[in-house]
Amino acid sequence: MVGCIYALIVGFFIERRLTLKELPELVWRSTKITAIIMAIVVFSSGFGILIAQERVAVHLSEWLSANIEQKWVMILALNVAFLILAAVMDEIAIMVVLGPMLISIANTFGIDPIHFGTIIVTNVALGMATPPIGYCLFVGMAISGLSIGAVSRAIWPFLVVMLIGLMLVSYIPSITLGLQGILH
């Protein structure tokens, strides 16, 4: 609410690009964008509840711990799983539902909990922008007026850079834990 009031003050009085005549259209556009975003959040939260009820994280962690022995393969498998889930689930649901369940696997492989948390957050950020479901794409589509295909095509170079960043964070723990080492 504070942000909206601030934007109105700036638009009306500082930049003087807004008029009272334009305000209803602005409110209508904002309402449509908010409705799109909220619908996506509701559906992805529902999917998160389904994942929790079906104990997908428990089954995933059991399968991973039974079938994978190398740390780098485990990190890769977790990255793929989190990336797929982040493209269709709400980020809060992923962090709250899956994070605690999979931390035991991370501990088994000697992955620092802070490093593991950073891997999860980085995956979630990447998944939110991954076509076709990532809801940041729908926000970009709603704001820009472009089609989902146009937004998806435009974001690929950024996704490649984000994937490189994910791999660096995943496989070079000092990137994540460097500040912790400096502070201690």
Side-chain angles (χ1 to χ4, degrees), residues 161-184:
V161 172
M162 290 172 73
L163 274 171
I164 292 168
L166 173 63
M167 291 300 114
L168 291 172
V169 165
S170 296
Y171 292 107
I172 305 173
S174 60
I175 291 174
T176 302
L177 303 173
L179 185 59
Q180 178 187 13
I182 292 170
L183 295 176
H184 287 294

Side-chain angles (χ1 to χ4, degrees), residues 121-133:
V121 170
T122 307
N123 269 296
V124 167
L126 183 58
M128 289 181 351
T130 302
I133 309 290

Side-chain angles (χ1 to χ4, degrees), residues 79-183:
N79 278 336
V80 170
F82 278 124
L83 187 61
I84 291 169
L85 288 172
V88 295
M89 267 178 77
D90 182 48
E91 72 275 358
I92 302 298
I94 290 172
M95 290 187 269
V96 170
V97 173
L98 299 179
M101 291 180 184
L102 296 175
I103 194 74
S104 62
I105 293 177
N107 288 336
T108 303
F109 281 89
I111 301 170
D112 186 277
I114 295 172
H115 182 221
F116 185 67
T118 306
I119 291 171
I120 292 172
V121 170
T122 307
N123 269 296
V124 167
L126 183 58
M128 289 181 351
T130 302
I133 309 290
Y135 62 81
C136 284
L137 296 175
F138 290 95
V139 173
M141 178 188 77
I143 291 171
S144 68
L146 298 173
S147 69
I148 191 71
V151 173
S152 295
R153 282 188 299 277
I155 202 165
W156 278 108
F158 299 100
L159 289 176
V160 170
V161 172
M162 290 172 73
L163 274 171
I164 292 168
L166 173 63
M167 291 300 114
L168 291 172
V169 165
S170 296
Y171 292 107
I172 305 173
S174 60
I175 291 174
T176 302
L177 303 173
L179 185 59
Q180 178 187 13
I182 292 170
L183 295 176

